[in-house]
Amino acid sequence: VACLYFVGHFAHQEWQFLASYWALRAQVIKSFWKDPGFRIGDPERSEALSRDPAVRRHTRNLLDAGFRLAGDITAKNWPSVYRNFLAPDGITYLVLICWTEFTDGDTQVRSWPASVSFQAQTFFTNGGRVDSLPGEILLRVPREPGTLIRGASGPSALEIHESHRHAADEFATEEGLTPCRHESLAQFLERQQQIFEVDAEHDRRRRYSLRDHLRWYLQMPYAEFRTPA
């Protein structure tokens, strides 16, 4: 009886693994193949976001620390707003990723206050970058020459910025890379669109594999992806 129990339990776990694989694979394909439609945010939506207590608190902390607000970027096909700040060092971008609504099946769920995560980016003249993404990296990502993609998490945008700046300085020194100075919001938007297109092409070629899914299933994140210049 015990043997039958363990066989049945194992078969159930295997079924859950395979069923979730196909569901998540479809979700990954949908996410990466659908152009987000990045665009500079409209003033009305930016004003509404500024009234959100979570966004207002993070914005105030960054402004007090010497960051400059560059503006908001929205995504036509994603329910998120990207509030972009220019760091005092003249090269680092700090982004508040603000979610005010989520999709749960066919239901739209509003979030108040907004759910806010942080992303930091530094670009190099060779076309590479250091990209500190929020949370853990559970999927493989494309790696252009002179690129470091890393997971970063913390309670504040300032902590993420400090961690990112240290990693970017170290990587630039090791690879002999020159950071780009801050660009306009429109140029920054173009960079994000290019990153999306590279990611989407990478996913079309490689697809979401059972190996990827096993790492997600076991929650074994990658620390970083690093490619020499």
Side-chain angles (χ1 to χ4, degrees), residues 73 84 93 95 121 184-192:
I73 289 176
N84 299 272
Y93 299 88
V95 183
Q121 293 179 312
S184 69
L185 185 62
Q187 290 171 307
F188 180 78
L189 186 152
E190 289 179 8
R191 286 190 181 274
Q192 305 313 307

Side-chain angles (χ1 to χ4, degrees), residues 92 122 124 130 148 150 163-173:
T92 306
T122 300
F124 300 116
V130 174
L148 171 63
R150 56 191 296 272
S163 169
H164 170 87
R165 189 176 65 171
H166 176 76
D169 289 347
E170 186 178 81
F171 186 70
T173 299

Side-chain angles (χ1 to χ4, degrees), residues 22-53:
W22 290 110
L24 192 57
R25 185 175 187 270
Q27 182 180 335
V28 169
I29 290 174
K30 180 181 178 181
S31 298
F32 280 96
W33 288 28
K34 188 174 184 179
D35 191 326
F38 289 125
R39 56 191 178 187
I40 294 177
D42 62 89
E44 184 176 338
R45 192 171 181 183
S46 294
E47 183 180 349
L49 192 67
S50 296
R51 293 194 295 269
D52 183 279

Side-chain angles (χ1 to χ4, degrees), residues 109-167:
V109 181
R110 300 284 299 177
S111 175
W112 180 268
S115 174
V116 182
S117 55
F118 317 112
Q119 180 180 6
Q121 293 179 312
T122 300
F123 298 97
F124 300 116
T125 54
N126 76 323
R129 73 185 190 279
V130 174
D131 205 334
S132 295
L133 301 173
E136 299 176 331
I137 304 175
L138 290 167
L139 297 175
R140 287 182 174 272
V141 294
R143 294 169 285 177
E144 300 87 353
T147 299
L148 171 63
I149 310 295
R150 56 191 296 272
S153 59
S156 75
L158 292 174
E159 289 187 26
I160 296 299
H161 170 257
E162 189 63 28
S163 169
H164 170 87
R165 189 176 65 171
H166 176 76

Side-chain angles (χ1 to χ4, degrees), residues 121 123 129 131 191-200:
Q121 293 179 312
F123 298 97
R129 73 185 190 279
D131 205 334
R191 286 190 181 274
Q192 305 313 307
Q193 186 66 33
Q194 291 168 2
I195 291 171
F196 165 79
E197 291 170 359
V198 170
D199 287 353

Side-chain angles (χ1 to χ4, degrees), residues 36-114:
F38 289 125
R39 56 191 178 187
I40 294 177
D42 62 89
E44 184 176 338
R45 192 171 181 183
S46 294
E47 183 180 349
L49 192 67
S50 296
R51 293 194 295 269
D52 183 279
V55 177
R56 189 169 61 245
R57 174 169 55 85
H58 291 300
T59 297
R60 183 177 63 250
N61 291 342
L62 289 171
L63 293 176
D64 289 345
F67 287 73
R68 291 189 295 115
L69 177 60
D72 294 341
I73 289 176
T74 59
K76 179 181 178 182
N77 296 314
W78 293 349
S80 52
V81 178
Y82 303 84
R83 175 152 291 189
N84 299 272
F85 292 85
L86 307 179
D89 60 14
I91 58 175
T92 306
Y93 299 88
L94 199 291
V95 183
L96 303 183
I97 305 175
C98 310
W99 296 83
T100 57
E101 61 183 57
F102 300 86
T103 301
D104 184 9
D106 296 329
T107 305
Q108 289 293 113
V109 181
R110 300 284 299 177
S111 175
W112 180 268

